[in-house]
Amino acid sequence: PRSTLSPSSATSDVYKRQNSRRAKMGYNYRDLGLTNTKEMFAKANKEGYAVPAFNFNNMEMAMAIVEACAEMGSPVILQCSKGALKYMGADVAPLLAKAAVDRARNMGSDIPVALHLDHGPDLETVKTCIEAGFSSVMIDGSHYDFAKNIQVSKEVVDYAHQFDVSVEAELGVLAGIEDDVKAESHTYTNPDEVEEFVTKTGVDSLAIAIGTSHGAHKFKPGEDPKLRLDILKEIERRIPGFPIVLHGSSAVPKQYTDMIKQYGGEVKDAIGIPDSELRKAASSAVAKINVDTDGRLAFTAAIRRVLGTSPKEFDPRKYLGAAKEEMKAYYKTKIVDVFGSEGAYKKGSL
Ligand code: G3H
Ligand code: 13P
Ligand code: ZN
């Protein structure tokens, strides 16, 4: 599915040289004004909210996210998947994150901003990201068995902690697709395993599987879209105060799937996680909630609306600008309805 991003054979040598250059040029995340997630999570758990972790792939998305969070006074984690890194380049992502920090400060807000590798596949990718300027990384060993997951996660912790970079790992398997890994069904996190996992690995936060899943099709029509909050409660009991992460938490708003359909797109049986279920989780030990699909839907719906209503338009600023504003407006509502993080820091305005 990502073949359109691969270099043609004629350009592959140039592409390889660019890639090796990418790994060499880098920054310390503090020099970019970024923070790791340690204090963010401690404050979030103490005050009963969750930090929004929004994925971005370009300048418009990075600015939509940071402006929404700065206007609401919410801390923010800007995160990139491996696919996003391939799209933007590991050299560009940290500089967009720096621009996001500058934008927040120019707006008069003091929100902390972290740059996080989402679903890091291996230590090599983690190293590239830390050298490039990331302040936080995920190592996703959830598809390995328990012992191997501990081993790969610990390896990443030992490396990342030398640079004061935070590490998230995952226990349990979410249904759905993430990058190249696809799981047909959930394997809920086993509460009996969490204490041993966090003690043996030394990770800073733990992603768990309690019924969320990636993408726009989280439940089948007719299914009850409920999370296993009982498992979350049991996990909290085993590792009190430890920062928990939820992936796959988009609500898949009907207004955007409808708008996409209205302007010629196709989205069938798209069902997300109800805000009310997530709000319950956010007020507990859940310190970080990942949302990507909702932003993509808002962004795409706005582009379709502009191009559908103004067929003569070919200025990218018109449709990308509308997409940015739609994403920003939606994320501001999500900060209130789901994360509960409004006003945790100083608000700013453009
Ligand atoms: O969890 C996966 C994120 O939604 C990123 O998706 O790999 O298509 O960038 P992606
Ligand atoms: P959604 O697909 O529900 O937005 O989940 C995103 C995610 O978990 C990124 O890691
Ligand atoms: Zn995820």
Short mmCIF file of all heavy atoms in Angstrom, two decimals, residues 238-292:
data_model
loop_
_atom_site.label_atom_id
_atom_site.label_comp_id
_atom_site.label_asym_id
_atom_site.label_seq_id
_atom_site.Cartn_x
_atom_site.Cartn_y
_atom_site.Cartn_z
N ARG A 238 -2.94 -3.23 40.06
CA ARG A 238 -1.65 -3.94 40.09
C ARG A 238 -0.46 -2.99 40.03
O ARG A 238 0.60 -3.28 40.57
CB ARG A 238 -1.53 -4.92 38.91
CG ARG A 238 -2.65 -5.90 38.75
CD ARG A 238 -2.72 -6.85 39.95
NE ARG A 238 -3.79 -7.82 39.76
CZ ARG A 238 -3.60 -9.06 39.30
NH1 ARG A 238 -2.40 -9.48 39.00
NH2 ARG A 238 -4.63 -9.87 39.16
N ILE A 239 -0.62 -1.87 39.27
CA ILE A 239 0.50 -0.92 39.15
C ILE A 239 -0.02 0.50 39.43
O ILE A 239 -0.11 1.33 38.53
CB ILE A 239 1.19 -1.01 37.76
CG1 ILE A 239 0.16 -1.09 36.61
CG2 ILE A 239 2.16 -2.17 37.68
CD1 ILE A 239 0.78 -0.99 35.21
N PRO A 240 -0.34 0.78 40.69
CA PRO A 240 -1.00 2.04 41.02
C PRO A 240 -0.17 3.26 40.59
O PRO A 240 1.05 3.29 40.82
CB PRO A 240 -1.13 2.01 42.55
CG PRO A 240 -0.86 0.61 42.96
CD PRO A 240 -0.06 -0.04 41.88
N GLY A 241 -0.84 4.21 39.94
CA GLY A 241 -0.18 5.46 39.55
C GLY A 241 0.69 5.37 38.32
O GLY A 241 1.22 6.38 37.85
N PHE A 242 0.85 4.16 37.77
CA PHE A 242 1.71 4.01 36.59
C PHE A 242 0.96 4.52 35.35
O PHE A 242 -0.21 4.18 35.15
CB PHE A 242 2.10 2.54 36.41
CG PHE A 242 3.22 2.35 35.43
CD1 PHE A 242 4.54 2.53 35.82
CD2 PHE A 242 2.95 2.04 34.10
CE1 PHE A 242 5.58 2.39 34.91
CE2 PHE A 242 3.98 1.90 33.18
CZ PHE A 242 5.30 2.08 33.59
N PRO A 243 1.65 5.34 34.49
CA PRO A 243 0.95 5.91 33.33
C PRO A 243 0.54 4.87 32.29
O PRO A 243 1.37 4.15 31.74
CB PRO A 243 1.99 6.88 32.74
CG PRO A 243 2.99 7.12 33.82
CD PRO A 243 3.02 5.85 34.62
N ILE A 244 -0.76 4.81 32.05
CA ILE A 244 -1.33 3.87 31.07
C ILE A 244 -1.64 4.63 29.78
O ILE A 244 -2.04 5.79 29.81
CB ILE A 244 -2.64 3.26 31.63
CG1 ILE A 244 -2.41 2.55 32.97
CG2 ILE A 244 -3.31 2.34 30.62
CD1 ILE A 244 -1.56 1.32 32.88
N VAL A 245 -1.49 3.93 28.65
CA VAL A 245 -1.73 4.55 27.34
C VAL A 245 -2.83 3.77 26.61
O VAL A 245 -2.84 2.54 26.63
CB VAL A 245 -0.44 4.53 26.48
CG1 VAL A 245 -0.69 5.14 25.10
CG2 VAL A 245 0.69 5.25 27.20
N LEU A 246 -3.72 4.52 25.96
CA LEU A 246 -4.71 3.87 25.09
C LEU A 246 -4.46 4.26 23.65
O LEU A 246 -4.41 5.44 23.32
CB LEU A 246 -6.13 4.29 25.48
CG LEU A 246 -6.68 3.80 26.81
CD1 LEU A 246 -8.15 4.21 26.94
CD2 LEU A 246 -6.55 2.28 26.97
N HIS A 247 -4.30 3.27 22.80
CA HIS A 247 -4.20 3.49 21.35
C HIS A 247 -5.60 3.37 20.76
O HIS A 247 -6.55 3.03 21.45
CB HIS A 247 -3.28 2.43 20.73
CG HIS A 247 -1.83 2.72 20.95
ND1 HIS A 247 -0.97 2.99 19.92
CD2 HIS A 247 -1.10 2.82 22.08
CE1 HIS A 247 0.22 3.23 20.41
NE2 HIS A 247 0.18 3.12 21.72
N GLY A 248 -5.68 3.61 19.46
CA GLY A 248 -6.91 3.30 18.72
C GLY A 248 -8.16 3.93 19.31
O GLY A 248 -9.20 3.28 19.41
N SER A 249 -8.08 5.22 19.66
CA SER A 249 -9.17 5.82 20.43
C SER A 249 -9.99 6.85 19.66
O SER A 249 -10.64 7.69 20.28
CB SER A 249 -8.58 6.45 21.70
OG SER A 249 -7.99 5.45 22.50
N SER A 250 -9.96 6.80 18.35
CA SER A 250 -10.76 7.76 17.59
C SER A 250 -12.26 7.48 17.76
O SER A 250 -12.68 6.33 17.91
CB SER A 250 -10.39 7.70 16.11
OG SER A 250 -9.22 8.46 15.89
N ALA A 251 -13.04 8.56 17.68
CA ALA A 251 -14.50 8.45 17.82
C ALA A 251 -15.16 8.21 16.47
O ALA A 251 -16.32 7.80 16.39
CB ALA A 251 -15.05 9.72 18.44
N VAL A 252 -14.44 8.48 15.37
CA VAL A 252 -14.97 8.37 14.00
C VAL A 252 -16.28 9.16 13.86
O VAL A 252 -17.37 8.58 13.70
CB VAL A 252 -15.14 6.88 13.57
CG1 VAL A 252 -15.47 6.77 12.10
CG2 VAL A 252 -13.88 6.08 13.88
N PRO A 253 -16.19 10.49 13.94
CA PRO A 253 -17.40 11.32 13.96
C PRO A 253 -18.22 11.19 12.69
O PRO A 253 -17.68 11.26 11.58
CB PRO A 253 -16.86 12.76 14.09
CG PRO A 253 -15.41 12.63 14.41
CD PRO A 253 -14.95 11.29 13.95
N LYS A 254 -19.54 11.04 12.90
CA LYS A 254 -20.45 10.86 11.77
C LYS A 254 -20.47 12.09 10.86
O LYS A 254 -20.62 11.97 9.65
CB LYS A 254 -21.85 10.54 12.32
CG LYS A 254 -22.83 10.09 11.25
CD LYS A 254 -24.10 9.55 11.88
CE LYS A 254 -25.22 9.26 10.92
NZ LYS A 254 -25.32 9.95 9.68
N GLN A 255 -20.29 13.28 11.48
CA GLN A 255 -20.33 14.48 10.62
C GLN A 255 -19.25 14.42 9.54
O GLN A 255 -19.45 14.91 8.44
CB GLN A 255 -20.22 15.78 11.45
CG GLN A 255 -18.84 16.22 11.89
CD GLN A 255 -18.65 16.15 13.41
OE1 GLN A 255 -19.16 15.23 14.06
NE2 GLN A 255 -17.92 17.08 13.99
N TYR A 256 -18.11 13.77 9.85
CA TYR A 256 -17.04 13.71 8.84
C TYR A 256 -17.22 12.56 7.86
O TYR A 256 -16.94 12.70 6.68
CB TYR A 256 -15.67 13.66 9.52
CG TYR A 256 -15.38 14.95 10.26
CD1 TYR A 256 -14.93 14.95 11.57
CD2 TYR A 256 -15.61 16.18 9.64
CE1 TYR A 256 -14.71 16.14 12.25
CE2 TYR A 256 -15.39 17.38 10.32
CZ TYR A 256 -14.94 17.35 11.62
OH TYR A 256 -14.73 18.53 12.28
N THR A 257 -17.69 11.41 8.35
CA THR A 257 -17.92 10.32 7.39
C THR A 257 -19.06 10.73 6.43
O THR A 257 -19.00 10.47 5.24
CB THR A 257 -18.22 8.98 8.09
OG1 THR A 257 -19.28 9.16 9.02
CG2 THR A 257 -17.01 8.44 8.81
N ASP A 258 -20.06 11.46 6.97
CA ASP A 258 -21.15 11.94 6.11
C ASP A 258 -20.62 12.95 5.08
O ASP A 258 -20.99 12.90 3.91
CB ASP A 258 -22.24 12.63 6.95
CG ASP A 258 -23.15 11.61 7.63
OD1 ASP A 258 -23.04 10.41 7.31
OD2 ASP A 258 -23.95 12.02 8.50
N MET A 259 -19.76 13.86 5.55
CA MET A 259 -19.23 14.89 4.64
C MET A 259 -18.38 14.25 3.54
O MET A 259 -18.46 14.64 2.37
CB MET A 259 -18.38 15.90 5.44
CG MET A 259 -18.26 17.26 4.80
SD MET A 259 -17.06 18.32 5.64
CE MET A 259 -17.85 18.69 7.18
N ILE A 260 -17.59 13.26 3.92
CA ILE A 260 -16.76 12.56 2.93
C ILE A 260 -17.65 11.91 1.87
O ILE A 260 -17.41 12.03 0.66
CB ILE A 260 -15.83 11.54 3.62
CG1 ILE A 260 -14.73 12.29 4.38
CG2 ILE A 260 -15.23 10.54 2.62
CD1 ILE A 260 -13.84 11.43 5.26
N LYS A 261 -18.73 11.27 2.34
CA LYS A 261 -19.65 10.62 1.39
C LYS A 261 -20.36 11.65 0.51
O LYS A 261 -20.52 11.47 -0.69
CB LYS A 261 -20.70 9.80 2.15
CG LYS A 261 -20.14 8.51 2.73
CD LYS A 261 -21.27 7.72 3.37
CE LYS A 261 -20.81 7.09 4.66
NZ LYS A 261 -21.87 6.62 5.53
N GLN A 262 -20.77 12.77 1.16
CA GLN A 262 -21.51 13.81 0.42
C GLN A 262 -20.69 14.34 -0.76
O GLN A 262 -21.23 14.67 -1.80
CB GLN A 262 -21.83 14.96 1.39
CG GLN A 262 -22.70 16.05 0.77
CD GLN A 262 -22.89 17.22 1.74
OE1 GLN A 262 -22.55 17.15 2.93
NE2 GLN A 262 -23.43 18.32 1.23
N TYR A 263 -19.37 14.38 -0.58
CA TYR A 263 -18.52 14.93 -1.64
C TYR A 263 -17.74 13.85 -2.40
O TYR A 263 -16.61 14.06 -2.80
CB TYR A 263 -17.60 16.02 -1.07
CG TYR A 263 -18.41 17.22 -0.60
CD1 TYR A 263 -18.59 17.46 0.76
CD2 TYR A 263 -19.04 18.06 -1.51
CE1 TYR A 263 -19.37 18.53 1.20
CE2 TYR A 263 -19.82 19.13 -1.09
CZ TYR A 263 -19.99 19.35 0.27
OH TYR A 263 -20.77 20.39 0.69
N GLY A 264 -18.36 12.69 -2.53
CA GLY A 264 -17.84 11.69 -3.46
C GLY A 264 -16.93 10.62 -2.88
O GLY A 264 -16.46 9.75 -3.61
N GLY A 265 -16.68 10.66 -1.56
CA GLY A 265 -15.81 9.64 -0.96
C GLY A 265 -16.58 8.40 -0.54
O GLY A 265 -17.81 8.37 -0.62
N GLU A 266 -15.87 7.39 -0.12
CA GLU A 266 -16.51 6.15 0.34
C GLU A 266 -16.03 5.80 1.73
O GLU A 266 -14.82 5.68 1.94
CB GLU A 266 -16.14 4.99 -0.60
CG GLU A 266 -16.91 5.00 -1.90
CD GLU A 266 -16.45 3.88 -2.83
OE1 GLU A 266 -16.01 2.82 -2.33
OE2 GLU A 266 -16.53 4.08 -4.05
N VAL A 267 -16.93 5.69 2.68
CA VAL A 267 -16.58 5.18 4.02
C VAL A 267 -17.77 4.36 4.47
O VAL A 267 -18.85 4.88 4.66
CB VAL A 267 -16.44 6.31 5.10
CG1 VAL A 267 -15.44 5.92 6.16
CG2 VAL A 267 -16.16 7.66 4.50
N LYS A 268 -17.55 3.05 4.63
CA LYS A 268 -18.68 2.18 4.97
C LYS A 268 -18.54 1.62 6.39
O LYS A 268 -17.45 1.25 6.80
CB LYS A 268 -18.72 1.02 3.96
CG LYS A 268 -20.08 0.37 3.89
CD LYS A 268 -20.19 -0.55 2.67
CE LYS A 268 -21.48 -1.36 2.72
NZ LYS A 268 -21.43 -2.49 3.63
N ASP A 269 -19.66 1.59 7.10
CA ASP A 269 -19.72 0.98 8.44
C ASP A 269 -18.58 1.43 9.35
O ASP A 269 -17.92 0.60 9.99
CB ASP A 269 -19.70 -0.55 8.32
CG ASP A 269 -20.92 -1.09 7.61
OD1 ASP A 269 -21.95 -0.39 7.61
OD2 ASP A 269 -20.84 -2.18 7.04
N ALA A 270 -18.32 2.72 9.36
CA ALA A 270 -17.23 3.23 10.21
C ALA A 270 -17.78 3.51 11.61
O ALA A 270 -18.70 4.31 11.77
CB ALA A 270 -16.66 4.50 9.59
N ILE A 271 -17.21 2.84 12.60
CA ILE A 271 -17.69 3.00 13.98
C ILE A 271 -16.49 3.18 14.92
O ILE A 271 -15.54 2.40 14.88
CB ILE A 271 -18.51 1.77 14.45
CG1 ILE A 271 -19.67 1.51 13.48
CG2 ILE A 271 -19.04 1.98 15.88
CD1 ILE A 271 -20.38 0.20 13.70
N GLY A 272 -16.55 4.22 15.76
CA GLY A 272 -15.44 4.51 16.67
C GLY A 272 -15.79 4.29 18.12
O GLY A 272 -16.79 3.64 18.44
N ILE A 273 -14.94 4.84 19.00
CA ILE A 273 -15.15 4.70 20.44
C ILE A 273 -15.96 5.91 20.93
O ILE A 273 -15.52 7.04 20.73
CB ILE A 273 -13.80 4.70 21.21
CG1 ILE A 273 -12.76 3.79 20.54
CG2 ILE A 273 -14.01 4.35 22.68
CD1 ILE A 273 -12.90 2.34 20.77
N PRO A 274 -17.07 5.68 21.60
CA PRO A 274 -17.86 6.82 22.09
C PRO A 274 -17.04 7.67 23.07
O PRO A 274 -16.31 7.14 23.90
CB PRO A 274 -19.04 6.15 22.82
CG PRO A 274 -19.07 4.74 22.34
CD PRO A 274 -17.68 4.38 21.95
N ASP A 275 -17.18 8.99 22.95
CA ASP A 275 -16.44 9.90 23.83
C ASP A 275 -16.65 9.57 25.31
O ASP A 275 -15.72 9.67 26.11
CB ASP A 275 -16.91 11.36 23.59
CG ASP A 275 -16.35 11.91 22.27
OD1 ASP A 275 -15.47 11.26 21.66
OD2 ASP A 275 -16.81 13.00 21.86
N SER A 276 -17.88 9.18 25.65
CA SER A 276 -18.18 8.95 27.07
C SER A 276 -17.35 7.80 27.66
O SER A 276 -16.92 7.86 28.81
CB SER A 276 -19.67 8.64 27.23
OG SER A 276 -20.00 7.57 26.37
N GLU A 277 -17.10 6.75 26.86
CA GLU A 277 -16.28 5.62 27.33
C GLU A 277 -14.86 6.08 27.60
O GLU A 277 -14.24 5.73 28.59
CB GLU A 277 -16.23 4.51 26.27
CG GLU A 277 -17.48 3.70 26.13
CD GLU A 277 -17.72 2.83 27.35
OE1 GLU A 277 -16.99 1.86 27.55
OE2 GLU A 277 -18.65 3.14 28.12
N LEU A 278 -14.33 6.90 26.68
CA LEU A 278 -12.95 7.37 26.81
C LEU A 278 -12.80 8.36 27.95
O LEU A 278 -11.78 8.40 28.63
CB LEU A 278 -12.50 8.03 25.51
CG LEU A 278 -12.16 7.05 24.41
CD1 LEU A 278 -11.93 7.78 23.11
CD2 LEU A 278 -10.92 6.24 24.79
N ARG A 279 -13.84 9.18 28.16
CA ARG A 279 -13.77 10.18 29.24
C ARG A 279 -13.62 9.48 30.59
O ARG A 279 -12.88 9.92 31.45
CB ARG A 279 -15.03 11.07 29.20
CG ARG A 279 -14.97 12.24 30.15
CD ARG A 279 -13.93 13.28 29.71
NE ARG A 279 -13.54 14.18 30.80
CZ ARG A 279 -12.50 14.00 31.59
NH1 ARG A 279 -11.71 12.95 31.45
NH2 ARG A 279 -12.22 14.85 32.54
N LYS A 280 -14.30 8.32 30.72
CA LYS A 280 -14.19 7.55 31.96
C LYS A 280 -12.75 7.08 32.15
O LYS A 280 -12.18 7.15 33.22
CB LYS A 280 -15.11 6.32 31.92
CG LYS A 280 -16.57 6.64 32.13
CD LYS A 280 -17.36 5.32 32.14
CE LYS A 280 -18.59 5.42 31.27
NZ LYS A 280 -19.18 4.15 30.88
N ALA A 281 -12.15 6.62 31.04
CA ALA A 281 -10.77 6.11 31.11
C ALA A 281 -9.79 7.25 31.38
O ALA A 281 -8.85 7.09 32.17
CB ALA A 281 -10.42 5.41 29.80
N ALA A 282 -10.03 8.42 30.77
CA ALA A 282 -9.08 9.54 30.90
C ALA A 282 -8.98 10.03 32.34
O ALA A 282 -7.94 10.54 32.76
CB ALA A 282 -9.49 10.69 29.99
N SER A 283 -10.05 9.89 33.09
CA SER A 283 -10.01 10.40 34.47
C SER A 283 -9.34 9.40 35.41
O SER A 283 -9.14 9.69 36.58
CB SER A 283 -11.43 10.74 34.94
OG SER A 283 -12.23 9.61 34.82
N SER A 284 -8.94 8.24 34.89
CA SER A 284 -8.25 7.25 35.72
C SER A 284 -6.74 7.34 35.47
O SER A 284 -6.23 8.40 35.17
CB SER A 284 -8.75 5.85 35.36
OG SER A 284 -8.27 5.53 34.07
N ALA A 285 -6.04 6.21 35.58
CA ALA A 285 -4.59 6.20 35.39
C ALA A 285 -4.18 6.32 33.92
O ALA A 285 -3.00 6.30 33.60
CB ALA A 285 -3.99 4.93 35.98
N VAL A 286 -5.14 6.42 33.02
CA VAL A 286 -4.79 6.59 31.61
C VAL A 286 -4.21 8.00 31.45
O VAL A 286 -4.90 8.99 31.69
CB VAL A 286 -6.00 6.36 30.69
CG1 VAL A 286 -5.68 6.78 29.27
CG2 VAL A 286 -6.42 4.90 30.73
N ALA A 287 -2.94 8.07 31.06
CA ALA A 287 -2.24 9.35 31.00
C ALA A 287 -2.09 9.86 29.57
O ALA A 287 -1.79 11.03 29.36
CB ALA A 287 -0.86 9.21 31.64
N LYS A 288 -2.27 8.96 28.58
CA LYS A 288 -2.06 9.34 27.17
C LYS A 288 -3.09 8.60 26.33
O LYS A 288 -3.28 7.38 26.50
CB LYS A 288 -0.64 8.94 26.75
CG LYS A 288 -0.32 9.02 25.25
CD LYS A 288 1.16 8.64 25.03
CE LYS A 288 1.61 8.74 23.59
NZ LYS A 288 1.46 7.49 22.82
N ILE A 289 -3.75 9.32 25.44
CA ILE A 289 -4.71 8.68 24.53
C ILE A 289 -4.35 9.07 23.10
O ILE A 289 -4.19 10.25 22.77
CB ILE A 289 -6.16 9.11 24.85
CG1 ILE A 289 -6.53 8.69 26.28
CG2 ILE A 289 -7.13 8.51 23.85
CD1 ILE A 289 -7.98 9.02 26.69
N ASN A 290 -4.22 8.04 22.24
CA ASN A 290 -3.78 8.25 20.85
C ASN A 290 -4.96 8.43 19.90
O ASN A 290 -5.88 7.59 19.88
CB ASN A 290 -3.03 7.02 20.35
CG ASN A 290 -1.66 6.88 20.97
OD1 ASN A 290 -1.31 7.60 21.90
ND2 ASN A 290 -0.89 5.94 20.45
N VAL A 291 -4.89 9.48 19.11
CA VAL A 291 -5.93 9.74 18.11
C VAL A 291 -5.26 10.13 16.80
O VAL A 291 -4.45 11.06 16.76
CB VAL A 291 -6.87 10.87 18.59
CG1 VAL A 291 -7.81 11.30 17.46
CG2 VAL A 291 -7.67 10.42 19.80
N ASP A 292 -5.59 9.42 15.75
CA ASP A 292 -5.06 9.71 14.42
C ASP A 292 -6.21 9.76 13.41
O ASP A 292 -6.41 10.75 12.69
CB ASP A 292 -4.05 8.61 14.04
CG ASP A 292 -3.38 8.88 12.70
OD1 ASP A 292 -3.67 9.91 12.07
OD2 ASP A 292 -2.55 8.06 12.27
#
